[in-house]
């Protein structure tokens, strides 16, 4: 049973436009959410996170929105740049130290078109 | 120099062989993790360790064992490799305060023939 779902395997966006990546979760115990970015032949790198007590967190061009009632979060990238082309993983944990590690979605491959 | 290193980066082996993947970190973190990624799937947790004396099974620990030799070193062993253990393996670390934010190594691509 997949607890973190990223239903779009890939997404193509034109350079300069907004990229919106979506993530749904089923486990009500999750209360901390993260986005990781992964380039080929590299490990995932932390991008941005959000606690369940917030509904928005912004860091430069990246904003994460959380809708707890819908168990849905999204990552917005504005404006999209060629270097943003990568696989993006949504991850979740039960706060308190990520004691059981992180639960990851399958990832969305974002392709930024020139 | 990378904060989290993994050796080897690539390995091809045969069914039944014993394999050890190694992870070292210079971040000074207490917590270390091993994940596995299969094509089209997210990362799944194999084992994690909070310190040298604390080892815990993750979601998919069957067929694997680990050793935390020191705070900075965490190795993953496949006692008798099988083809469905062909995957990309990642080591990660985190500190106590921000344990949710994990720092990943570059990965080891393991192929079992």
């Amino acid at each position: 049973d997949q607890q973190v779902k990223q239903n779009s395997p890939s997404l193509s966006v034109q350079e300069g436009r907004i990229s919106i990546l979506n993530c749904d979760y089923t486990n009500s115990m999750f209360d901390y959410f993260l986005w990781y970015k992964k380039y080929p032949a590299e490990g995932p790198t932390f991008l941005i996170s959000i606690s369940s007590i917030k509904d928005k967190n912004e860091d430069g061009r990246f904003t994460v929105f959380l809708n707890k009632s819908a168990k849905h979060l999204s990552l917005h990238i504005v404006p999209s740049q060629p270097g943003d082309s990568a696989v993006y993983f949504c991850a979740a944990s039960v706060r308190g130290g990520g004691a059981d590690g992180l639960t990851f979605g399958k990832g969305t491959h974002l392709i930024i078109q020139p | 120099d990378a904060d989290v290193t993994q050796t080897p980066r690539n390995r091809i082996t045969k069914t039944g062989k014993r394999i050890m993947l190694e992870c070292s970190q210079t971040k000074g973190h207490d917590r270390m993790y091993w994940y596995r990624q299969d094509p089209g799937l997210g990362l799944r947790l194999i084992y994690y360790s909070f310190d040298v004396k604390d080892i815990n099974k993750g979601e998919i620990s069957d067929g694997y064992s680990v050793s935390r030799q020191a705070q900075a070193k965490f190795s993953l062993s496949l006692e008798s490799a099988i083809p469905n253990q062909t995957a990309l393996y990642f080591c990660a670390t985190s500190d106590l305060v921000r344990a949710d934010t994990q720092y990943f190594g570059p990965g080891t691509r393991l192929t079992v023939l």
Side-chain angles (χ1 to χ4, degrees), chain B residues 53-113:
Chain B
K53 298 179 181 179
D54 188 332
I55 304 290
N56 303 278
K57 292 183 177 180
E59 178 188 354
I60 53 166
S61 60
D62 287 348
Y64 301 95
S65 63
V66 291
S67 173
R68 184 83 182 265
Q69 300 95 324
Q71 187 205 34
K73 295 185 182 295
F74 192 36
S75 61
L76 175 73
S77 294
L78 288 67
E79 297 300 327
S80 180
I82 56 177
N84 76 1
Q85 291 177 312
T86 293
L88 195 52
Y89 290 85
F90 290 103
C91 173
T93 74
S94 68
D95 65 22
L96 288 174
V97 176
R98 292 292 304 273
D100 307 270
T101 304
Q102 298 183 6
Y103 298 86
F104 286 81
T108 294
R109 183 169 296 281
L110 176 65
T111 302
V112 183
L113 301 176

Side-chain angles (χ1 to χ4, degrees), chain A residues 32 34 36 38 41-44 46 49 89 93-95 97-102 104-106, chain B residues 9 31 33 35 37 40-43 45 48 50 88 90 97-102 104-106:
Chain A
Y32 198 73
L34 309 93
Y36 281 80
K38 184 182 180 304
E42 295 182 11
F46 170 73
S49 63
F89 290 101
S93 76
V94 175
R95 198 76 166 130
D100 295 328
L102 297 173
F104 284 84
K106 293 182 178 182
Chain B
R9 292 295 311 277
R31 300 186 175 191
Y33 310 81
Y35 289 89
Q37 184 189 12
L41 298 179
L43 283 72
L45 184 65
Y48 58 103
F50 290 166
L88 195 52
F90 290 103
V97 176
R98 292 292 304 273
D100 307 270
T101 304
Q102 298 183 6
F104 286 81

